[in-house]
Amino acid sequence: MTSSFSNLLLAEPLARAVAEMGYETMTPIQAQAIPVVLSGQDVMGAAQTGTGKTAAFSLPLLQRMLKHENASTSPARHPVRALVLLPTRELADQVAQQIKLYAKYTNLRSTVVFGGIDMKPQTLELKKGVEVLVATPGRLLDHIEAKNAVLNQVEYVVLDEADRMLDIGFLPDLQRILSYLPKQRTTLLFSATFSPEIKRLAGSYLQNPVTIEVARPNETASTVEQHFYSVADDDKRRALRQIVRQRGITQAFVFVNSKLGCARLARSLERDGLRTSALHGDKSQDERLKSLAAFKAGEVDLLVCTDVAARGLDIKDVPAVFNFDIPFNAEDYVHRIGRTGRAGASGLAVSFASGGNDARLVADIEKLIKKKIELEPVEFEEDRPRGRINDGRRHWREEGEAGDARDVLDQPRERRDADARRGGGGRPHRAPAAPRDPFFDKPYEPGQPDATPAWEAAAKASTPGRGISSNIKSKRKVPALFKSAEPS
Ligand code: AMP
């Protein structure tokens, strides 16, 4: 199988855009999916953000649309022909930006609609006529209801990050949206996992799909130096500042477990003179996009974020990741540190454990990554003359199993859902979670929340830490676990 773009026979405007972006070889999902989509078949693809999935579906769709490109400037002559649905604002924005780049030299118009911002500018764009519409389900329904978006000429649909859309509770919205589309169409579904719910969704909306699974992008080893420090809550900020200074860290993600904690920490680090931005669900859409842009442009050194806000973001390798709070789920630890040390580059992952439930959480991580974790003390420079080290130092095993871990473990799921639901357009009447037996008996009625949400099942099924073999205290080899985003 050839993997060079030059062998694809892409239309000249697309080939030019791809060349301009510096792509030479196709990623595995691209090599497998592009020919299938070009041939007109439906696709069910298991791939995560960061695998080159966006180009894998948008290049062949654009190529097919170009065959019937309409040079007219009349909006009526530019109906929506391709619809791409995503679960969150950030992902929608990210995918839309990429599609714009790929379609740059074509006459095909594209736009994105998502919740949390004024509908008016989106309406104006839609009224101009767009062939490619990228959307979150909630806001798209708003536009459909307002008759800003007409979908009866859609030829191609992409359900991207489908598992997350189901987790969030978008199924009723998806069902409604799909009911507006012509039956004769190409449907592509991408999901991090093929859970039973995803298979049922595919069974209902895809016709004889070709299944494409790419190997998890976590097999290649890269160097990530991991440290777990025992540090009292009140000293965490001081410890972070010291490590940033001592290590000369230029850019880092700083993960915290709550939106409130995120905002507070960002503010205090800013006061400490560090260039900091916060990214969490309570920020307005504009603020979130600005934070991201500033970090990407290098105007900000520390991006303080929650797991939900960081999920799926196309931010490549960063030199360091801080777990200011130990994540509630061990899988999140793996996702978080997967943002550093990619593609063989060296990376640093620093985690701060304080008291209470951290012992349990560190134990979970230890189990998942199959490595013994030793807590190190933080030796503060200003304390050195007296030879003192921080009081918070203790091996986590000495902390006991204080507290009821359930209290903690239950929190992120609610937070995630709440965050993500807001990201979908902020329609408060929407279903809180995927219905237990959602498919089509009662298409638009939310049912009972699923006992085992898909993300949980997926997390149980996956073993992202597999193969980690390293010595926590020294430089170690850790697989680059997720090329970019966290799976659902
Ligand atoms: P995605 O998984 O679509 O979000 O893509 C992740 C990142 O990989 C994006 O920044 C793309 O621009 C980049 N990318 C996609 N395909 C290729 C390729 N064939 N070669 C190099 N970079 C790529």
Side-chain angles (χ1 to χ4, degrees), residues 5 23 25-27 30 49-54 98 314 316:
F5 275 104
Y23 300 177
T25 47
M26 289 187 270
T27 66
Q30 290 164 357
T49 304
T51 54
K53 179 177 53 159
T54 314
Q98 277 201 57
D314 181 21
K316 298 230 176 70

Side-chain angles (χ1 to χ4, degrees), residues 181-216:
L181 308 182
K183 294 264 171 300
Q184 193 67 30
R185 59 163 199 258
T186 299
T187 309
L188 314 177
L189 179 152
F190 292 93
S191 172
T193 57
F194 290 155
S195 64
E197 292 92 341
I198 289 294
K199 286 187 182 150
R200 297 182 71 189
L201 186 72
S204 306
Y205 289 112
L206 274 64
Q207 285 180 356
N208 304 319
V210 175
T211 301
I212 295 172
E213 272 184 86
V214 293
R216 293 177 76 86

Side-chain angles (χ1 to χ4, degrees), residues 1-5 8 10 18 21-38 43 46-48 50-60 98 102 190 212-214:
M1 180 171 41
T2 175
S3 61
S4 165
F5 275 104
L8 258 188
L10 283 177
V18 165
M21 293 184 74
Y23 300 177
E24 285 166 7
T25 47
M26 289 187 270
T27 66
I29 186 77
Q30 290 164 357
Q32 290 186 58
I34 292 177
V36 177
V37 180
L38 284 175
V43 165
Q48 295 158 356
T51 54
K53 179 177 53 159
T54 314
F57 64 74
S58 39
L59 286 174
Q98 277 201 57
Y102 300 137
F190 292 93
I212 295 172
E213 272 184 86
V214 293

